[in-house]
Amino acid sequence: MTKRFYLTGYFLIFAYIGSTAQAPDYFPTVSESDLPGATFTAPRTYSNTSLFGYINGGAELYLEYGFSGARVNEITYMGGTYILEIYRMNGPEEAFGIFSVSRFQCKSIPSFALFGCQTAYQVQFCSGSFYVNIINNSGNRNDSIASLKIGEAIVKKIKEKPAQIDYYLPGTSPETINRHAILVKGQLGIMNGVQELSEYFGELSGYTAVILQEEGQTHLSIRFNDKEKLEAFASLHSWKPDDLSPGSVILPTGDTITRISENHLLIKIR
């Protein structure tokens, strides 16, 4: 897995204090009734434009996936202070996508979320349309426990179902998807998650691709927005959609393509 180009850090909380733009729609909210003894700073909210003030250099990635708004505040709890970032995306797939290119070197998976990642300094997960990032500045065991309690309290407030990524990769275990699958919608996602495939997609847009690399093979499940986008992808690789007969087709390159619906391909790259 290539190193991520976009990282969220503890210091970023101070990068832009002046933004008070109201992010649209609902955000899951926790209070002292959910976390006894906790105190909370007033949240700062960010829209498409003001997000650049908070994560300048990373905002474009969120916008490519489909960003609706963000809310950030600090929580003091169990003797530690934590930064809570909640990003509302346009849907569960978009939330999984930004999670999939943000996770890095996960040590464990939080039990409260289908898709999550925990390191010493960070707990991140996606649930419904939300990508959540909880950051601490010590990396000790107490902070890890507190971060998990905060995350669990937030998940209980989210009623949406998680993204159905197994639709793209039938038969793949949830743990494999959680740890290794990457969802991309454009060049920025590819550069942050699977840089080595940037030329494979070229400058194309109008698709959702879930990518899984394992055992010397790369599995691509690509759903195009329409027939024209599929034809543009086929042209990039010097074949035509009509070349795809029922079942699987092995190209001269050795790649195997299966057309699972009119505008959805499953590709195995050797």
Side-chain angles (χ1 to χ4, degrees):
M1 190 71 66
T2 58
K3 186 176 180 180
R4 309 287 181 250
F5 284 83
Y6 165 71
L7 298 175
T8 302
Y10 183 86
F11 61 93
L12 288 175
I13 191 70
F14 302 104
Y16 188 76
I17 297 180
S19 174
T20 57
Q22 291 299 310
D25 298 322
Y26 163 80
F27 282 89
T29 301
V30 293
S31 64
E32 189 177 2
S33 63
D34 305 297
L35 300 168
T39 60
F40 306 82
T41 62
R44 291 185 293 279
T45 55
Y46 299 89
S47 64
N48 285 17
T49 53
S50 62
L51 185 65
F52 285 86
Y54 181 55
I55 50 173
N56 187 22
E60 294 93 341
L61 179 65
Y62 283 78
L63 297 179
E64 178 178 89
Y65 274 100
F67 171 79
S68 177
R71 192 184 68 188
V72 181
N73 68 320
E74 292 184 16
I75 300 175
T76 301
Y77 181 55
M78 292 177 58
T81 299
Y82 311 92
I83 297 172
L84 172 61
E85 302 176 332
I86 302 178
Y87 298 89
R88 184 181 179 97
M89 308 302 289
N90 289 346
E93 285 189 0
E94 289 80 0
F96 175 82
I98 201 69
F99 162 78
S100 72
V101 296
S102 300
R103 66 174 180 236
F104 187 61
Q105 295 184 340
C106 303
K107 292 185 176 180
S108 60
I109 300 172
S111 60
F112 54 76
L114 181 60
F115 304 121
C117 171
Q118 182 175 18
T119 65
Y121 292 90
Q122 186 179 40
V123 170
Q124 54 186 320
F125 61 91
C126 60
S127 183
S129 296
F130 297 97
Y131 164 62
V132 180
N133 191 25
I134 304 166
I135 307 163
N136 74 80
N137 64 353
S138 74
N140 63 35
R141 183 174 181 273
N142 187 73
D143 277 352
S144 295
I145 294 172
S147 296
L148 289 174
K149 288 181 178 292
I150 294 170
E152 185 174 14
I154 294 168
V155 165
K156 290 178 179 179
K157 305 288 184 173
I158 300 173
K159 304 305 180 185
E160 286 181 279
K161 294 182 179 179
Q164 293 183 298
I165 306 302
D166 55 352
Y167 161 78
Y168 289 90
L169 299 169
T172 304
S173 71
E175 181 176 358
T176 297
I177 290 173
N178 183 62
R179 288 186 177 275
H180 303 296
I182 294 174
L183 186 149
V184 298
K185 287 180 172 287
Q187 272 294 304
L188 292 176
I190 293 170
M191 291 299 294
N192 278 268
V194 278
Q195 185 181 8
E196 61 272 25
L197 291 180
S198 60
E199 292 185 4
Y200 196 85
F201 286 88
E203 299 297 324
L204 293 177
S205 61
Y207 65 85
T208 299
V210 176
I211 303 167
L212 179 64
Q213 296 174 310
E214 61 176 359
E215 299 178 356
Q217 281 193 337
T218 298
H219 301 261
L220 303 178
S221 183
I222 313 174
R223 186 186 67 202
F224 297 92
N225 292 0
D226 51 47
K227 181 180 178 181
E228 287 70 26
K229 298 298 184 182
L230 170 59
E231 290 175 342
F233 178 82
S235 178
L236 179 65
H237 295 283
S238 302
W239 52 270
K240 298 179 181 179
D242 291 343
D243 296 337
L244 301 180
S245 57
S248 299
V249 175
I250 300 178
L251 300 179
T253 58
D255 298 347
T256 301
I257 300 182
T258 304
R259 194 169 190 171
I260 59 179
S261 68
E262 183 178 2
N263 295 319
H264 193 162
L265 305 178
L266 185 61
I267 304 174
K268 294 182 181 179
I269 302 176
R270 293 190 177 278

